[in-house]
């Protein structure tokens, strides 16, 4: 659907006594997106939490912390209903899990220290000296570290404060035993090594050999790791036995907290409350029936408005809403009703027919698209969801993006792989985003296969065209000289696609802006559309044809120069002069007038400069033709390197053929192919260069097509997205809609 689902603003007014029942009923329905009362009206205050809000919140935090510790997710087990005594059970689980988790933390800390000690003793093991021999001396200093032995000895020799020294090495590790002179500084060795790159290691405090020391550490490490395994096993057992209970507790506590805190969104007095929210218009009767059944008297329900809204959320066209009968109870006491009415009279700014305060907020958005289009809502939300007042262009994305993608790539082999990849994402993953990408991949792959059949190509080879169409498929990409006219035709087709796509965008913008009046809608959108159409009617006419490219008139004309003989040789010169240019002038003048209304005299300059966009925006679609040729060229090069290519014919009639059955050189020596002269060899092909070259060629063939396949996403995919986002959406789309988050229900984002 082009419009989001129709929403209604409802108001529920009643006595404080029935508020818990109302909250519980609305929560169970999961239909109403509650509006927040901002506290701005005199005599109305935000409500206070009810029930055990704080206690339930604390327990909910506890349950979620336990789920995190146990690495428990809803995908693993089903939630169980809570039974009596569940709070004691929760406390027992919390105590047991926390004790195990604390013990696990202690063990991990000790393991980290042991690993640091093992790493620290490694240099000493290289020396082969018992650790007790490296410390405990009074007259000499012992240093162990890593550095250049030559630099260390030179520095010690040069020091006047070092009387004698001895060095020992093992690998890059150096042990220094040195005695300072009688009058030398106690830090003489350290000072002597100041200019030397020397990393000092602390000597472990043990009298064991390095090997024995490490052995004891490794033994302790294994013992701790065993304890960790036992703890993990106990936690896994708790997870298996209590997982369903914990998920059930989370669900119940979440509901309790939501219901307990709901009054924070209400406008309340000492004895009454007013709650407002949005729900789909066709669900109003179900809401009334449920509340009447649960509460009966003591409640007044009103559908305040069922309308279209502008960008600020204010109604622009309000339907007469008069349900009567059920839902308009008179159950409040006279004192309670008088209190509400007095408060409304003092502070209410906008009221419904029953006098209930209206909390002004923009309606949330539920995108109402058919099943095949729903995955494309993901592409739309990369920018933002549509406002309630905007047309939803998701259906246009469904109709255009896969077609753009397939038209640009057009290859049966690549299309099959894209479809397989998309189906894998769609079927193997549960995340909505991944599934949406998978569905989009399936659509894009399907159109790539469709156009691949029409182009007669599979992995850049023309075998399909030979088999299905006898060598003459309905479409050619235009890479070869003999088919160059098709390449020019795709330039014209790209322009026509751009004109159609942008015109739809202007129409959408016109409809969106009708709330501001027909004149404003025309000035903002229609004037631009007229300018664009008028300019391009003139360009496609024969007026001034000498300065325009010939393919505008020949691509769909007649004779051998036409790619498709449709008889269109351009609009008549009179059409361009008498229709195209006047329409463009009308569009330009009214567009500039619209800019002047916005910016004053400066609008003349702004409008004049921006008028060139009607050329640039349409020419931007030439990237479609560019990608067609670029991807065809890449696939051709990959196949040429492997199979080789020989040329039949010369000049503009030259055809390129892959050496699939015979080497290109052999075809040149043979001289003809299907009665046509073989004129040259473009490349001999690795396949025909011997076993080593053939093996190399297979590697290049596979890798090359993988690269082309991946670049298809970054070129055709990104270029298609750019045309949608930058060119199309820019004409009408603002976004910024609020997600529909019903109290107790499912977000609109989670419906797909």
């Amino acid at each position: 659907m082009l419009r989001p689902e129709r929403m209604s603003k409802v108001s529920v007014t009643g006595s404080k006594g029935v508020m818990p029942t109302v909250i519980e009923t609305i929560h169970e329905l999961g239909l109403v997106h509650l509006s927040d009362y901002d506290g701005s009206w005199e005599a109305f205050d935000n409500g206070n939490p009810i029930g055990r809000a704080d206690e339930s919140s604390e327990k909910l935090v506890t349950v979620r912390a336990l789920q995190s510790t146990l690495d428990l997710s809803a995908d693993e087990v089903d939630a169980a209903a809570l039974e009596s005594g569940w709070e004691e059970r929760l406390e027992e689980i919390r105590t047991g899990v926390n004790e195990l988790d604390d013990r696990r933390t202690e063990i991990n800390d000790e393991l980290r220290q042991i690993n640091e000690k093992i790493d620290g003793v490694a240099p000493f093991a290289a020396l082969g000296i018992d650790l007790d021999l490296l410390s405990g001396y009074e007259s000499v200093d012992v240093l162990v570290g890593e550095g250049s032995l030559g630099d260390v000895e030179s520095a010690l020799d040069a020091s006047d404060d070092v009387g004698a020294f001895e060095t020992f090495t093992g690998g890059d590790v150096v042990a220094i035993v040195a005695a300072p002179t009688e009058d030398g500084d106690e830090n003489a060795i350290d000072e002597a090594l100041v200019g030397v790159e020397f990393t000092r290691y602390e000597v472990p405090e043990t009298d064991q050999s390095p090997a024995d020391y490490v052995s004891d550490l490794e033994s302790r490490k294994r013992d701790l790791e065993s304890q960790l395994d036992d703890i993990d096993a106990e936690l896994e057992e708790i997870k298996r036995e209590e997982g369903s209970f914990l998920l059930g507790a989370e669900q119940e506590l979440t509901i309790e907290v939501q219901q307990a805190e709901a009054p924070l969104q209400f406008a309340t007095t000492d004895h009454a409350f007013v709650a407002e929210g949005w729900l789909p218009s066709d669900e109003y009767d179900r809401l009334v029936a449920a509340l009447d059944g649960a509460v009966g008297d003591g409640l007044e329900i009103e559908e305040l408005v069922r309308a279209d809204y502008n960008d600020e959320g204010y109604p622009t066209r309000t339907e007469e809403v008069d349900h009567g009968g059920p839902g308009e109870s008179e159950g409040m006491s006279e004192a309670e009703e008088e209190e509400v009415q007095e408060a409304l009279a003092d502070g209410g700014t906008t009221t419904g027919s029953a006098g209930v305060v209206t909390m002004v907020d923009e309606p949330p958005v539920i995108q109402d698209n058919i099943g095949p289009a729903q995955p494309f809502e993901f592409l739309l939300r990369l920018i933002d969801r549509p406002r309630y007042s905007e047309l939803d262009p998701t259906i246009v994305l469904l109709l255009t993006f896969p077609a753009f993608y397939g038209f640009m790539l057009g290859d049966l082999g690549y299309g099959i792989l894209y479809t397989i990849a998309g189906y894998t994402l769609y079927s193997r993953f549960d995340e909505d985003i991944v599934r949406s990408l998978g569905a989009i991949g399936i659509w894009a792959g399907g159109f790539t296969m469709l156009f691949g059949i029409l182009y007669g190509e599979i992995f850049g080879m023309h075998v399909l065209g030979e088999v299905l169409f006898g060598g003459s498929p309905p479409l050619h990409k235009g890479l070869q000289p003999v088919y160059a006219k098709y390449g020019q035709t795709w330039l014209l087709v790209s322009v026509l696609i751009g004109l159609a796509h942008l015109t739809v965008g202007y129409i959408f913008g016109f409809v969106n802006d009708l709330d501001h009046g027909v004149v404003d809608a025309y000035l903002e959108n229609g004037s631009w559309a007229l300018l664009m159409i008028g300019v391009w009617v003139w360009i496609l006419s024969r007026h001034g044809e000498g300065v325009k490219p010939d393919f505008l008139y020949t691509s769909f004309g007649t004779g051998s120069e036409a790619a498709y003989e449709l008889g269109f040789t351009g609009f008549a010169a009179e059409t361009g002069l008498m229709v195209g240019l006047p329409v463009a002038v009308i569009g330009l003048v009214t567009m500039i007038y619209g800019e002047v209304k916005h910016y004053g005299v400066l609008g003349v300059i702004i409008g004049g400069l921006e008028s060139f966009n009607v050329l640039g925006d349409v020419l931007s679609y030439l990237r479609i033709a560019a990608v067609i040729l670029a991807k065809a060229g890449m696939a051709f090069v990959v196949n040429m390197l492997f199979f080789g290519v020989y040329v039949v014919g010369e000049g503009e009639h030259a055809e390129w053929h892959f050496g699939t059955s015979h080497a290109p050189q052999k075809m040149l020596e043979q001289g003809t192919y299907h009665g046509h002269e073989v004129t040259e060899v473009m490349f001999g092909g690795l396949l025909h260069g011997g076993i080593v070259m053939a093996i190399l060629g297979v590697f290049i063939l596979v890798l090359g097509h993988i690269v082309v396949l991946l670049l298809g996403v970054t070129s055709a995919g990104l270029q298609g997205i750019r045309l949608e986002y930058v060119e199309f959406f820019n004409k009408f789309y603002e976004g910024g809609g609020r997600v529909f988050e019903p109290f107790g229900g499912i977000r609109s984002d989670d419906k797909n």
Side-chain angles (χ1 to χ4, degrees):
M1 299 291 291
L2 292 177
R3 282 286 187 192
E5 190 166 339
R6 193 71 177 275
M7 304 295 288
S8 291
K9 187 72 172 287
V10 296
S11 170
V12 179
T13 306
S15 64
K16 283 283 191 69
V18 300
M19 186 166 65
T21 304
V22 170
I23 291 172
E24 182 178 354
T25 303
I26 293 177
H27 189 279
E28 290 177 355
L29 287 173
L31 291 176
V32 181
H33 179 113
L34 293 176
S35 299
D36 291 321
Y37 172 56
D38 62 6
S40 61
W41 301 304
E42 186 178 349
F44 281 99
D45 294 314
N46 293 91
N48 297 314
I50 59 176
R52 305 183 306 165
D54 292 340
E55 185 179 347
S56 297
S57 295
E58 291 177 3
K59 285 184 170 59
L60 181 59
V61 171
T62 297
V63 170
R64 288 175 174 168
L66 290 172
Q67 290 178 345
S68 176
T69 301
L70 296 172
D71 194 22
L72 176 65
S73 70
D75 297 333
E76 299 177 80
V77 293
D78 296 325
L82 298 185
E83 301 175 353
S84 60
W86 69 270
E87 292 175 321
E88 291 78 8
R89 182 179 177 184
L90 176 62
E91 180 59 24
E92 291 177 3
I93 296 172
R94 185 195 68 80
T95 301
V97 169
N98 285 350
E99 288 177 354
L100 290 170
D101 191 47
D102 290 343
R103 178 59 183 150
R104 182 168 60 180
T105 301
E106 293 173 1
I107 292 174
N108 281 323
D109 289 342
E110 187 175 350
L111 273 174
R112 184 171 58 255
Q113 294 172 8
I114 288 176
N115 286 325
E116 290 174 355
K117 290 179 180 179
I118 292 174
D119 292 340
V121 82
F124 300 93
L127 287 172
I129 301 175
D130 287 350
L131 297 174
D132 61 336
L133 299 177
L134 297 174
S135 60
Y137 301 101
E138 295 181 357
S139 59
V140 296
D141 291 334
V142 179
L143 277 72
V144 179
E146 188 173 333
S148 169
L149 177 61
D151 292 344
V152 168
E153 292 180 338
S154 297
L156 294 174
D157 279 334
S159 174
D160 295 333
D161 293 328
V162 177
F165 69 89
E166 186 71 33
T167 58
F168 306 89
T169 61
D172 294 329
V173 180
V174 179
I176 306 168
V177 181
T181 60
E182 291 185 2
D183 56 348
D185 190 277
E186 61 180 5
N187 298 319
I189 299 177
D190 288 329
E191 292 176 358
L193 297 177
V194 166
V196 179
E197 290 187 9
F198 186 79
T199 303
R200 183 170 179 173
Y201 300 129
E202 293 297 326
V203 179
E205 296 181 0
T206 178
D207 57 0
Q208 294 177 291
S209 68
D212 292 340
Y213 182 64
V214 170
S215 177
D216 287 348
L217 290 174
E218 292 285 0
S219 176
R220 178 58 178 164
K221 179 180 178 180
R222 288 191 295 270
D223 178 55
L224 292 174
E225 288 174 341
S226 177
Q227 293 182 43
L228 273 183
D229 291 339
D230 292 340
I231 291 174
D232 289 340
E234 290 185 57
L235 290 172
E236 189 64 31
E237 181 67 19
I238 294 174
K239 176 181 177 180
R240 183 168 57 253
E241 293 180 353
E242 306 294 353
S244 295
F245 165 73
L246 290 174
L247 288 177
E250 183 195 21
Q251 290 183 3
E252 290 295 329
L253 289 167
T254 299
I255 292 172
E256 283 187 22
V257 171
Q258 288 177 343
Q259 293 182 2
E261 295 179 349
L264 295 171
Q265 297 177 266
F266 297 173
T268 65
T269 64
D270 291 338
H271 302 288
F273 74 94
V274 178
E276 292 188 11
W278 297 93
L279 83 166
S281 297
D282 56 6
E283 297 284 6
Y284 173 76
D285 291 337
R286 186 152 72 99
L287 173 68
V288 172
L291 289 174
D292 278 344
V295 180
D297 292 342
L299 200 66
E300 182 171 329
I301 310 165
E302 182 181 9
E303 184 177 12
L304 299 176
V305 65
R306 182 186 299 175
D308 293 332
Y309 283 75
N310 62 19
D311 293 343
E312 289 75 35
Y314 294 97
T316 55
R317 291 195 299 275
T318 303
E319 294 181 3
E320 187 68 28
V321 180
D322 182 14
H323 295 278
E328 297 186 2
S329 304
E330 302 293 339
M332 282 191 292
S333 69
E334 186 174 330
E336 290 169 343
E337 186 169 353
E338 181 179 348
E339 180 185 51
V340 173
Q341 294 301 331
E342 287 178 358
L344 290 168
D346 291 338
T349 56
T350 308
T351 63
S353 60
V356 180
V357 172
T358 299
M359 304 169 192
V360 177
D361 58 351
E362 186 176 350
V365 174
I366 301 177
Q367 291 176 264
D368 188 17
N369 289 295
I370 59 176
Q374 288 178 3
F376 290 84
E377 293 177 2
F378 165 71
L379 291 181
L380 192 62
R381 290 172 191 156
L382 289 177
I383 304 176
D384 210 341
R385 70 181 57 255
R387 287 179 178 269
Y388 183 79
S389 57
E390 286 184 315
L391 292 176
D392 181 354
T394 302
I395 192 69
V396 179
L397 285 176
L398 168 65
L399 297 174
T400 57
F401 176 74
F404 289 168
Y405 193 96
F407 183 44
M408 284 187 276
L409 291 181
D411 188 287
L412 180 61
Y414 297 146
I416 291 173
L417 294 180
Y418 286 132
T419 303
I420 292 173
Y423 180 76
T424 300
L425 293 176
Y426 184 80
S427 60
R428 298 288 181 86
F429 295 88
D430 296 326
E431 294 82 357
D432 290 337
I433 291 178
V434 179
R435 286 173 58 84
S436 294
L437 284 174
I440 294 170
I442 294 173
W443 277 96
F447 273 89
T448 302
M449 287 192 289
L450 172 62
F451 279 101
I453 293 172
L454 296 177
Y455 284 122
E457 289 194 12
I458 179 168
F459 294 115
M461 305 289 290
H462 304 112
V463 178
L464 201 61
E466 297 286 344
V467 173
L468 296 180
F469 304 104
S472 300
L475 304 179
H476 295 278
K477 291 184 177 177
L479 188 65
Q480 299 187 42
V482 70
Y483 298 126
K485 59 187 176 185
Y486 288 91
Q488 296 177 335
T489 298
W490 302 143
L491 294 174
L492 178 57
V493 169
S494 298
V495 167
L496 297 177
I497 290 173
L499 286 169
H501 202 217
L502 295 175
T503 299
V504 172
Y506 285 125
I507 292 173
F508 277 26
F510 182 84
V511 174
N512 285 342
D513 290 339
L514 278 176
D515 292 338
H516 304 294
V518 176
V519 173
D520 284 344
Y522 167 77
L523 293 176
E524 293 293 328
N525 304 278
S527 60
W528 282 96
L530 286 183
L531 175 59
M532 179 186 72
I533 292 171
V535 166
W536 282 96
V537 166
W538 177 80
I539 291 174
L540 295 175
S541 74
R542 287 192 167 275
H543 185 258
E545 63 179 299
V547 298
K548 301 174 185 176
D550 291 337
F551 70 83
L552 295 178
Y553 314 118
T554 60
S555 295
F556 296 120
T558 58
S560 60
E561 293 184 350
Y564 300 98
E565 296 192 53
L566 302 180
F568 177 76
T569 57
F571 295 117
E574 292 78 12
T575 301
L577 184 61
M578 305 301 295
V579 177
L581 290 181
V583 168
V585 170
I586 293 172
L588 177 63
V589 171
T590 52
M591 181 271 288
I592 291 177
Y593 174 71
E595 297 299 315
V596 170
K597 287 185 65 177
H598 283 300
Y599 305 106
V601 178
L602 188 61
V604 176
I605 299 175
I606 294 174
L609 294 175
E610 290 185 343
S611 65
F612 293 98
N613 289 344
V614 298
L615 282 173
D617 290 349
V618 176
L619 291 176
S620 182
Y621 285 78
L622 292 178
R623 65 189 69 242
I624 293 176
V627 173
I628 291 175
L629 293 173
K631 284 292 153 289
M634 293 175 64
F636 173 80
V637 169
V638 172
N639 290 327
M640 178 185 70
L641 292 174
F642 182 70
F643 294 106
V645 171
Y646 58 93
V647 182
V648 175
E650 296 180 342
E652 64 182 16
H653 301 292
E655 298 181 27
W656 304 337
H657 296 276
F658 296 113
T660 54
S661 56
H662 298 90
Q665 187 60 39
K666 181 178 180 180
M667 296 303 298
L668 181 63
E669 294 171 358
Q670 179 178 305
T672 60
Y673 171 75
H674 288 187
H676 299 281
E677 182 184 4
V678 178
T679 55
E680 65 173 303
V681 171
M682 188 178 294
F683 184 73
L686 298 175
L687 175 63
H688 309 292
I691 185 66
V692 175
M693 299 303 291
I695 294 173
L696 175 62
V698 170
F699 173 77
I700 292 176
L701 181 70
V702 174
L703 180 62
H705 280 300
I706 291 175
V707 170
V708 175
L709 184 75
L710 296 177
L711 287 178
V713 178
T714 59
S715 58
L718 292 182
Q719 294 299 345
I721 288 291
R722 184 195 184 283
L723 293 177
E724 302 285 2
Y725 287 177
V726 178
E727 311 302 345
F728 180 57
F729 284 2
N730 192 46
K731 300 298 177 284
F732 68 95
Y733 192 76
E734 292 186 14
R738 293 195 301 159
V739 63
F740 179 64
E741 297 181 295
F743 179 59
I746 301 175
R747 290 165 48 107
S748 60
D749 279 355
D750 300 329
K751 292 172 63 179
N752 296 336

